[in-house]
Amino acid sequence: MLVFVLNAGSSSLKYQLINAETSELKASGLVERIGIDGILKHEVGENKKLTFELQIPTHKEAIELVLRILTNDETKVINSISEIEAIGHRVVHGGEYFKKSTLINKDVMDKIRKLIPLAPLHNPAHVLGIEICNELMPNIPNVATFDTAFHQTMPEENFLYAVPYGDYTEHHLRKYGFHGTSHYYVSNEAIKILNKKTSKIIVCHLGNGSSICAVKDGKSISTTMGLTPLEGLIMGTRSGDIDAGVIPYLMERKGLDSNQIINYLNKKSGILGISGISSDLREVIKASNDGDKRSKIAIEMLCGRIKKYLCSYAGLMQGVDAICFTAGIGENSDLIREKVCEGLGFMGIELDTEKNKIRTHGTREIHNESSKTKIFVIPTNEELVIAKDTYNLVKSK
Ligand code: AMP
């Protein structure tokens, strides 16, 4: 079954065309700057990469363009749109409504809309993406896969904030957690390698946005992101954990309103804010190597926060069988992995620094022989999870 996987953002669209039975990736791409000018980067297989720069005023035109490219003579991977049998949508916020992926109907759409206050930047774009697919491919079933769903197994003591309880029941104030599809995929791959009935796994999804998840017996029991993706680790431009008292203090001192302070914490902070160089860790590592002090401290802060959560989750689960590193930084930066694991031998976590430096595609083990805890690098694949969930739901419809 060919599944079109769509991740609609406010001015961008990511897509993949996947054979869900064989896991074969037929084509993938990214449309950016919708409504501004427009760039489409399209990839077929491993080798063929194409870039188109053209006016893309709306999301509808963006999806029409992608469908044309998939069937167009020069870039063709399918003969006709009718070969697409299902569409899987990434949806950031599923609130407490969705504990797993679901076929989309009117009730599901209403709930995704109801959750807009919790994900004002993301859910409106997802609704738009689904509506356009319904219009352009009216008879094809649509499935939603939620970033929050995997974390719905967290126990109350790990998802509540210590504020008056009524604000949870009345205003849905709680930790939801994000990157759930990635944490699910990576922990599941680790479980296959461990081949044990019970397991304690910590997944470090370290990218532009980052989160850590404690996965016990295949279930998320705690994660670092919260009501919104701002909580937890230090990220490219996000502060992560911060004393809530900082907010009124800065609002008063700098005369900021609530939008401005949220923008400050989401867009101007994190690695970018500390280093003053970039949100891209590669540039910050380079600057640090060239002697830039603020870049060096940004890297120390990033690794210190990861280590803090790693140790606290090992404590929460009373042990850890495997630590998994994934996403842009987790998969590619041997420096960050080394700094995070440094000094944790007392907990049975021992990195093999040579294995850690070897770069290959695919899953690899980077612990040394005496390490009680296994350490893996596992490339994430959220789109494959979406395609498989879509296939399973549509097949059993
Ligand atoms: P993602 O959001 O998963 O695409 O990850 C993006 C982040 O990964 C950016 O901060 C990149 O700088 C970072 N990244 C990618 N490759 C490397 C690398 N070799 N070393 C350090 N950071 C990297």
Side-chain angles (χ1 to χ4, degrees):
M1 182 189 286
L2 277 187
V3 178
F4 184 54
V5 176
L6 192 64
N7 178 358
S10 54
S11 66
S12 68
L13 274 182
K14 262 195 195 165
Y15 60 90
Q16 289 196 356
L17 187 64
I18 300 175
N19 182 329
E21 284 138 302
T22 61
S23 306
E24 183 200 357
L25 175 62
K26 294 274 200 186
S28 63
L30 171 66
V31 189
E32 286 176 295
R33 300 177 63 83
I34 299 168
I36 306 164
D37 35 38
I39 300 178
L40 170 78
K41 290 183 185 142
H42 182 74
E43 280 187 40
V44 182
E46 293 259 302
N47 306 318
K48 200 166 169 188
K49 293 188 183 163
L50 303 151
T51 301
F52 305 86
E53 284 183 34
L54 63 180
Q55 286 299 316
I56 310 175
T58 65
H59 282 69
K60 185 171 174 199
E61 277 153 289
I63 297 178
E64 280 174 334
L65 176 67
V66 171
L67 295 177
R68 260 201 319 277
I69 281 174
L70 292 172
T71 51
N72 211 347
D73 271 349
E74 271 176 45
T75 49
K76 175 151 70 181
V77 287
I78 46 174
N79 291 315
S80 138
I81 296 306
S82 62
E83 289 179 38
I84 297 175
E85 288 177 75
I87 306 167
H89 298 265
R90 177 210 178 202
V91 177
V92 163
H93 222 303
E96 291 189 325
Y97 294 125
F98 301 106
K99 300 186 188 334
K100 50 187 195 273
S101 300
T102 182
L103 275 162
I104 299 176
N105 56 24
K106 188 182 168 306
D107 176 53
V108 171
M109 284 298 270
D110 287 346
K111 285 176 174 146
I112 298 173
R113 281 196 195 93
K114 262 193 183 167
L115 292 163
I116 287 176
L118 289 174
L121 298 178
H122 293 97
N123 276 23
H126 305 321
V127 168
L128 188 62
I130 297 164
E131 284 173 344
I132 295 166
C133 287
N134 274 328
E135 195 185 325
L136 297 177
M137 297 174 271
N139 298 317
I140 300 178
N142 288 270
V143 164
T145 298
F146 302 91
D147 272 26
T148 48
F150 182 59
H151 301 300
Q152 281 296 301
T153 48
M154 287 193 291
E156 208 173 30
E157 64 269 26
N158 292 348
F159 73 64
L160 283 176
Y161 290 115
V163 296
Y165 192 86
D167 288 330
Y168 164 52
T169 47
E170 224 177 285
H171 298 295
H172 316 287
L173 185 75
R174 52 160 286 179
K175 235 179 197 295
Y176 290 94
F178 298 87
H179 294 139
T181 314
S182 175
H183 289 301
Y184 161 72
Y185 176 82
V186 172
S187 57
N188 203 44
E189 289 300 297
I191 288 169
K192 285 188 214 161
I193 306 171
L194 291 174
N195 196 19
K196 283 175 71 192
K197 272 221 174 99
T198 60
S199 56
K200 297 166 182 175
I201 295 167
I202 299 175
V203 180
C204 303
H205 177 112
L206 310 176
N208 224 339
S210 299
S211 67
I212 300 190
C213 183
V215 185
K216 197 168 182 194
D217 304 335
K219 293 195 171 89
S220 166
I221 62 154
S222 192
T223 191
T224 54
M225 282 179 169
L227 175 78
T228 75
L230 180 56
E231 192 179 342
L233 301 178
I234 295 169
M235 307 177 219
T237 58
R238 287 174 237 168
S239 64
D241 294 344
I242 204 156
D243 175 0
V246 165
I247 293 172
Y249 178 79
L250 273 182
M251 286 172 86
E252 248 170 61
R253 302 280 294 205
K254 293 174 68 117
L256 304 178
D257 64 24
S258 62
N259 278 334
Q260 287 168 321
I261 189 80
I262 280 302
N263 193 48
Y264 170 97
L265 294 171
N266 269 303
K267 301 265 167 72
K268 306 220 183 303
S269 300
I271 294 294
L272 171 69
I274 301 293
S275 69
I277 299 269
S278 173
S279 63
D280 188 320
L281 191 66
R282 283 167 292 201
E283 290 180 33
V284 178
I285 292 174
K286 185 174 175 303
S288 166
N289 290 341
D290 292 343
D292 183 66
K293 277 199 180 138
R294 277 170 52 185
S295 295
K296 189 170 186 314
I297 192 73
I299 294 166
E300 295 303 324
M301 287 171 73
L302 172 82
C303 295
R305 183 82 55 92
I306 298 169
K307 190 177 265 188
K308 180 171 123 178
Y309 272 111
L310 201 67
C311 294
S312 85
Y313 284 168
L316 193 66
M317 293 193 288
Q318 298 170 20
V320 51
D321 298 311
I323 295 167
C324 310
F325 288 97
T326 194
I329 297 169
E331 290 167 33
N332 296 305
S333 178
D334 53 300
L335 172 78
I336 300 301
R337 293 192 301 260
E338 183 170 339
K339 284 179 110 28
V340 166
C341 295
E342 203 170 60
L344 298 186
F346 77 97
M347 289 170 68
I349 297 168
E350 294 177 40
L351 189 79
D352 183 317
T353 50
E354 290 311 309
K355 279 190 195 161
N356 182 42
K357 287 198 181 94
I358 300 168
R359 297 192 61 159
T360 53
H361 287 298
T363 294
R364 54 198 188 274
E365 300 190 353
I366 53 169
H367 48 269
N368 73 18
E369 275 177 15
S370 58
S371 182
K372 285 198 190 115
T373 299
K374 300 205 180 318
I375 311 173
F376 301 130
V377 176
I378 302 181
T380 192
N381 196 342
E382 290 154 283
E383 289 80 8
L384 186 61
V385 175
I386 299 175
K388 297 254 183 214
D389 278 8
T390 302
Y391 167 71
N392 287 325
L393 282 163
V394 170
K395 197 180 60 170
S396 59
K397 196 163 68 131

